[in-house]
Amino acid sequence: MKTMLAVGAAALLAVAAPACAAPLQAPPAASRNAENPALASVLADYETYLRTVDPITAGMEGDRAALSRLPDASRAFEVAQEPVLKAFADRLAAIDPATLSDDDRLNHAFLAYVIQRSRDRIPLDTGRLEAFNSEGGPGQNVSYLASVTRIATREDAEAWIARLEAMPKLYEDQLASARRGLESGLVQPRSIVENALSLIEPEAALTPAADPLLKPFASLPASIPAPEQAALRQRAERAVADGVMPHRREWARFLREDYLPRAPETLGVVHRPGGRELYAFYTRGFTTTDLTPDQIHAIGQQEVARIRARMDIEMKAAGWTGDFASFLNFLRTDPQFYAASREALMEKASEMAKRSDDGLPALFGTLPRTPYGVREVPREIEANYTTGRYFPGSMENGVAGGYMVNTGRLDQRPLYELPALTLHEAVPGHHLQIALQQEAEEGPYFRRSVDVTAFVEGWGLYSEFLGEEMQFYRTPYERFGRLSYEMWRACRLVADTGIHALGWDLEQARACFRDNSALAPHNIETELQRYIGWPGQATAYKIGEIRLREIRTRAERELGDKFDVRRFHDALLVDGPLPMALLDERMDRWIAAEKARPAG
């Protein structure tokens, strides 16, 4: 599942590198980030820039001023960043990489990549398509922020009220982006609009008692006198009632009356003006490679065939004597594979999460300080939400990471898939990787907050594979569930490229999941809507995992008896994620250093 902020806080950002972690407080310190003075200056200035344009990440790491702000999501602001970003690119271009140390050269190349990616996005005006998707729009994004906002002081309360008061502009900016999409033909299809409306219309009818934006005020500290608590709550309620609610209603009206009648039935961006160029941009960015959609599609087909052969082995190990289709029907319908209550599902997930904690020291030399909890997906959004997800914590703000479990539609949440889900979303998956990224205080700020989806999601899928080494899967059904999840990611390559590059309809995209995985029908439909509304993102998982496993195979082959899995995983994770080509370079240097390291 997609982690944390990409459909949450980072989706609010118009031009800043999307926030995929909440790093610890660290003021600009150029000398700490680079040996070369010119590069150190660029890194320090870029940090100052990011803290300004990305108040979500800055606030999560303890920047008090940033906690009062939301990003500027206007098109005018986005366009205004081009000369700023070009100036950074020019300063980097003036530095000869050949004169830099290995670490400085890597940071130079990575920052150049990030800045170019941001510049490439601007002329495409991607906000036209990204104003909303199947999981909603700006309201859902800020509701996520509310869920991780903790009020410990009067200043915290004032800061959250300021963010509530800033929400009307956010709605206006996103509405303007969606209107530009209508005018230019770059629009979401009808099914995505209908899904968004199913979330937005109930949101537009919320009462203050049930409003997720007011959750931070549910419990205020005793250090704030009772009369002041009442006054703060009244101000927050007024900000929602007078500012947010009218904009929610207008957003819902706009989607229902203006957008929906003009939303096409055709699904993929290939059917939209400039869609091929846009999809190529998305796949390059999400995979951090130059693979074409056709190449990604072919890789997906190859992986489907490979995984299917493994699934047949586990099906036989379970004692099944029928065919594959009847085994899938058995898994999808037999009550033994499903929890009887929401509480039972949460207890299963919590037990598995604790058991996965127990296996970490054998595989990792460095573990994060930040803990995580197992939490339910909020019930008001569970219908269109994925089976599970990870939200990052913030040690500065006193918030643990969160492994989110969807407890709705229990007959669609099979227990044989829960081990792989837990390993992916909690540990050794997203929580371990992202918390270590947050705590990488020695590196440049941008590396602690940049989104490298292929690495992050590739690591999550690699972590499901690690469950085999951890002996985490206890039955043939759980091993089949792991393979079913891997098949899910392989089919994503096929379906996402099929929809957005080849022009497939829904049934063509559905077939791979239905015929080759044990995914429940509801999950298949929810996931398909996610791929339709979020082009290219689903291609990152398998492409990243394939590269991580290739790197590990290379390290094992070249190091032989000197290969230490704990040292290998630390080398991959501790310094934070990288695009695939730069990751290859870093790990090749690590392999060479390990070869030269004295035995013992």
Side-chain angles (χ1 to χ4, degrees), residues 1 134-135 195 331-332 337-338 345 377 382-389 405-418 421 481 484-485 488 492 506 509-510 513-514 517-531:
M1 313 302 165
S134 65
E135 294 180 359
N195 276 311
L331 292 175
R332 288 169 176 159
F337 299 122
Y338 298 87
L345 181 58
V377 169
E382 66 183 14
N384 292 341
Y385 209 73
T386 49
T387 300
R389 194 164 289 183
V405 179
N406 195 328
T407 60
R409 299 290 298 270
L410 288 173
D411 63 342
Q412 305 290 299
R413 314 290 177 199
L415 296 176
Y416 51 78
E417 293 177 347
L418 195 57
L421 178 69
S484 184
Y485 258 35
W488 172 19
R492 282 178 173 180
L506 192 61
R510 181 187 293 123
F513 303 94
R514 181 194 60 221
S517 81
L519 286 177
H522 175 73
N523 290 342
I524 292 174
E525 299 308 312
T526 299
E527 288 297 318
L528 285 170
Q529 293 304 312
R530 185 159 74 97
Y531 312 149

Side-chain angles (χ1 to χ4, degrees), residues 10-15 72-76 78-79 118 120-133 136-138 141 170-188 251 254-255 259 269 278 281-282 533-535:
L12 303 176
L13 301 180
V15 296
D72 188 332
S74 69
R75 176 61 175 164
E78 180 178 26
V79 171
S118 296
D120 289 345
R121 177 182 292 272
I122 294 172
L124 294 172
D125 191 8
T126 61
R128 293 175 293 166
L129 194 69
E130 297 168 1
F132 70 95
N133 58 28
N141 298 335
L170 179 65
Y171 273 101
E172 291 163 6
D173 290 342
Q174 300 288 49
L175 188 65
S177 292
R179 287 191 187 281
R180 290 197 312 279
L182 275 182
E183 293 164 1
S184 62
L186 185 59
V187 292
Q188 294 282 13
W251 180 258
F254 164 73
L255 288 185
Y259 204 113
V269 293
L278 180 61
F281 168 80
Y282 280 137
W534 198 359

Side-chain angles (χ1 to χ4, degrees), residues 151-153 157 216-226 228-230 232-233:
I151 295 178
T153 66
F217 289 93
S219 178
L220 296 178
S223 59
I224 303 176
E228 290 188 33
Q229 290 190 22
L232 289 167
R233 288 191 175 98

Side-chain angles (χ1 to χ4, degrees), residues 249-570:
R249 290 191 288 268
E250 173 56 19
W251 180 258
R253 187 213 62 77
F254 164 73
L255 288 185
R256 183 177 58 254
E257 298 178 11
D258 297 348
Y259 204 113
L260 186 62
R262 297 168 63 181
E265 296 288 346
T266 54
L267 305 180
V269 293
V270 67
H271 299 294
R272 314 291 185 254
R276 290 190 183 278
E277 178 188 6
L278 180 61
Y279 188 61
F281 168 80
Y282 280 137
T283 54
R284 286 195 306 271
F286 283 122
T287 67
T288 71
T289 72
D290 291 326
L291 291 170
T292 67
D294 286 343
Q295 289 172 320
I296 294 170
H297 191 83
I299 291 170
Q301 292 175 317
Q302 293 163 10
E303 284 291 280
V304 167
R306 181 188 64 81
I307 299 164
R308 178 63 181 269
R310 284 280 316 273
M311 295 173 88
D312 287 340
I313 294 171
E314 294 299 342
M315 180 180 73
K316 291 182 174 63
W320 192 259
T321 56
D323 62 13
F324 190 80
S326 63
F327 186 59
L328 293 184
N329 183 64
F330 167 65
L331 292 175
R332 288 169 176 159
T333 58
D334 195 292
Q336 70 174 298
F337 299 122
Y338 298 87
S341 67
R342 293 177 184 264
E343 293 75 20
L345 181 58
M346 289 299 291
E347 287 173 3
K348 288 282 190 182
S350 299
E351 183 276 329
M352 290 181 187
K354 199 59 187 174
R355 182 152 46 92
S356 64
D357 285 341
D358 192 44
L360 296 182
L363 294 171
F364 301 90
T366 303
L367 298 174
R369 300 190 307 274
T370 308
Y372 72 96
V374 184
R375 307 172 192 151
E376 283 188 272
V377 169
R379 297 187 184 186
E380 62 267 21
I381 64 171
E382 66 183 14
N384 292 341
Y385 209 73
T386 49
T387 300
R389 194 164 289 183
Y390 174 74
F391 287 161
S394 169
M395 288 295 286
E396 286 294 325
N397 294 332
V399 178
Y403 163 32
M404 311 299 294
V405 179
N406 195 328
T407 60
R409 299 290 298 270
L410 288 173
D411 63 342
Q412 305 290 299
R413 314 290 177 199
L415 296 176
Y416 51 78
E417 293 177 347
L418 195 57
L421 178 69
T422 301
L423 295 171
H424 183 114
E425 303 295 345
V427 294
H430 287 325
H431 175 71
L432 189 147
Q433 181 265 308
I434 291 165
L436 285 175
Q437 180 182 0
Q438 292 172 292
E439 296 170 13
E441 300 176 34
E442 294 304 312
Y445 174 84
F446 84 91
R447 287 185 59 180
R448 303 198 307 273
S449 61
V450 70
D451 182 11
V452 189
T453 309
F455 185 101
V456 173
E457 296 299 350
W459 177 262
L461 186 48
Y462 173 86
S463 295
E464 297 174 26
F465 157 74
L466 281 183
E468 294 186 357
E469 291 185 37
M470 298 167 69
Q471 298 184 334
F472 198 79
Y473 305 108
R474 294 179 168 179
T475 68
Y477 299 118
E478 290 186 350
R479 291 191 293 274
F480 189 93
R482 203 281 289 178
L483 292 169
S484 184
Y485 258 35
E486 188 179 8
M487 178 67 81
W488 172 19
R489 280 43 168 263
C491 285
R492 282 178 173 180
L493 298 185
V494 176
D496 198 284
T497 53
I499 291 167
H500 293 294
L502 303 179
W504 283 7
D505 62 24
L506 192 61
E507 175 55 28
Q508 287 174 291
R510 181 187 293 123
C512 186
F513 303 94
R514 181 194 60 221
D515 298 342
N516 296 289
S517 81
L519 286 177
H522 175 73
N523 290 342
I524 292 174
E525 299 308 312
T526 299
E527 288 297 318
L528 285 170
Q529 293 304 312
R530 185 159 74 97
Y531 312 149
I532 293 165
W534 198 359
Q537 192 270 345
T539 63
Y541 296 65
K542 208 58 176 87
I543 297 300
E545 182 248 2
I546 289 170
R547 186 67 64 89
L548 290 174
R549 291 183 66 171
E550 286 175 348
I551 291 171
R552 175 164 175 179
T553 298
R554 186 163 73 244
E556 289 174 330
R557 181 180 65 248
E558 296 190 22
L559 294 176
D561 291 343
K562 295 186 75 172
F563 178 80
D564 183 327
V565 69
R566 299 169 83 232
R567 291 174 62 84
F568 173 76
H569 286 151
D570 282 6

